[in-house]
Amino acid sequence: MRGNFCHRLTKKEWIITAFAVFHTVSNLFLGTFVVSFLMHNTINEIVSISTYRFFEILAICLTFVITANWCKNGNRTVLFGMNIVARIILMGLIAILGSNAAGWLVVLGILYGIFEGFYNLPMHAITIENVCAKRMVFFVGTKEAIVHTFKILVPVTLGTMLTTTSLQGVAWAIMVMAVMEFFMLFLLPPCRNPKHQPIDFIGFYNHLKGTPVLRKIFLSELLRGFAWILETVVVMYIVDAFHTDMNLGIWSTIFAICTIVASWAFGRFCSNRDFRWIVLSCSVLLAFSAAALIIGVNRFSILLYSFAYAVGIVTTTKICGTNILNVGQSRFVTKNIRIEYLVMRDVVLFFGRWAGCLCLMYIGAFNLHGALQYLIAILFLSHILACVISVRQTRYLSGKR
């Protein structure tokens, strides 16, 4: 067992989870159904989608860097609230543009990235400060199980709305939801941090050079960033195989159920010492699904691949995510350099994601659709290697040598 502590979320953990639920609903629309919309309304869907995702990750990285000092020395609650403002602007723009939104790829991608940046940086810091290391596995698993529970109904609802109404109608609905989140901000206690030293990325880089564990964790994040584009490819394959947004919603819901079970089991029964066999089991599943796609693209291989993503990729991502949060509480990252650590980790992720987007864009630009299955295999391998590297650092993060 993982130790004697209450298997219930605390009040602060519930608040963090509630914001994660709202964030996931918005991401489901912006990262799944907008991708579906672009596939149906652009000439070269692969180039359009990779362009949209590229400017998203660029904006996330720049938002992290620009707001780093605010997050370190200012009010994080106010900074976190800016993600709601950015989302309202983005949803309003989509609602106004409607079917013309496909011509605004760069602007939409940038606004999406700004929204993600304002959400993730303060939320990572808030989570590290409010969830102790011994509860991190339980919290991450339980939170993700709750989040994915909402994916049971939301994908079908959004898919049906997009099929029967329009992209505009869904955007208006999510914008109203974002307005409601403003009231939830009052549940977060004002986070006025004691003044630290100004952001010092050069100092953190020197610290990184002398800390092998951090270097290996960052290498893991670089490889995981490269594999990040897998999420988009999942959506593209399902849309291409099943044609309608309603079917996209139905299959997304089915795979969400698989993810719920995996997330709940991860949080309830797993501990840090179980990470190795979990990664091994998931690697076998991912290898089979990648091999099926290479042998032949059909509904069976696509569904097997989607299942492998829903269980294998999502579960191993939780392992890496848990280690990332635990690094922020470990002896390798003091409180005074925690924000530098979070920002530099996102910069590393950006370079990995940038490389993945370029590969997808290259395939689309030269119509190399037959190479897409092989790219998927490489992305799976990159993700597995990232997880193996991360898991090997777990014993150091738990204080064991």
Side-chain angles (χ1 to χ4, degrees), residues 17-58:
T17 301
F19 278 111
V21 168
F22 280 101
H23 177 253
T24 298
V25 173
S26 297
N27 263 350
L28 186 63
F29 174 70
L30 293 167
T32 299
F33 290 100
V34 169
V35 168
S36 174
F37 169 79
L38 293 176
M39 288 185 69
H40 293 147
N41 293 274
T42 55
I43 297 175
N44 191 323
E45 68 271 14
I46 294 181
V47 172
S48 298
I49 291 167
S50 54
T51 299
Y52 172 65
R53 300 314 295 256
F54 171 76
F55 280 98
E56 173 206 345
I57 60 174
L58 177 62

Side-chain angles (χ1 to χ4, degrees), residues 352-374:
R353 290 171 174 176
W354 174 72
C357 280
L358 281 183
C359 289
L360 187 61
M361 192 177 296
Y362 180 84
I363 288 175
F366 294 96
N367 294 315
L368 303 174
H369 295 275
L372 198 56
Q373 303 98 293
Y374 298 99

Side-chain angles (χ1 to χ4, degrees), residues 5-11 13-14 135 138-139 142:
F5 62 85
C6 181
H7 289 286
R8 296 178 182 177
L9 295 178
T10 65
K11 180 181 178 180
E13 291 169 353
W14 270 116
R135 288 182 59 85
F138 168 73
F139 168 72
T142 305

Side-chain angles (χ1 to χ4, degrees), residues 92-163:
L93 183 61
I94 293 176
I96 293 171
L97 292 174
S99 59
N100 296 320
W104 292 68
L105 285 175
V106 174
V107 175
L108 295 180
I110 290 173
L111 285 173
Y112 184 15
I114 292 173
F115 148 58
E116 284 282 271
F118 276 126
Y119 175 88
N120 283 300
L121 180 58
M123 182 51 71
H124 287 332
I126 290 169
T127 301
I128 288 173
E129 291 176 357
N130 288 281
V131 182
C132 66
K134 291 182 178 180
R135 288 182 59 85
M136 196 63 76
V137 173
F138 168 73
F139 168 72
V140 170
T142 305
K143 181 194 72 171
E144 291 301 310
I146 293 171
V147 165
H148 285 284
T149 298
F150 283 84
K151 286 188 175 182
I152 294 178
L153 295 177
V154 171
V156 174
T157 303
L158 292 182
T160 303
M161 288 179 66
L162 279 169
T163 301

Side-chain angles (χ1 to χ4, degrees), residues 306-359:
S306 301
F307 173 77
Y309 183 91
V311 176
I313 294 289
V314 172
T315 301
T316 50
T317 295
K318 289 177 181 58
I319 291 175
C320 294
T322 299
N323 277 345
I324 285 296
L325 293 172
N326 283 339
V327 169
Q329 298 177 333
S330 70
R331 65 184 186 277
F332 303 107
V333 176
T334 64
K335 189 174 183 178
N336 195 49
I337 61 171
R338 187 174 290 162
I339 301 302
E340 285 89 340
Y341 157 70
L342 292 173
V343 173
M344 292 304 296
R345 175 252 179 177
D346 195 80
V347 171
V348 170
L349 268 178
F350 164 74
F351 282 111
R353 290 171 174 176
W354 174 72
C357 280
L358 281 183
C359 289

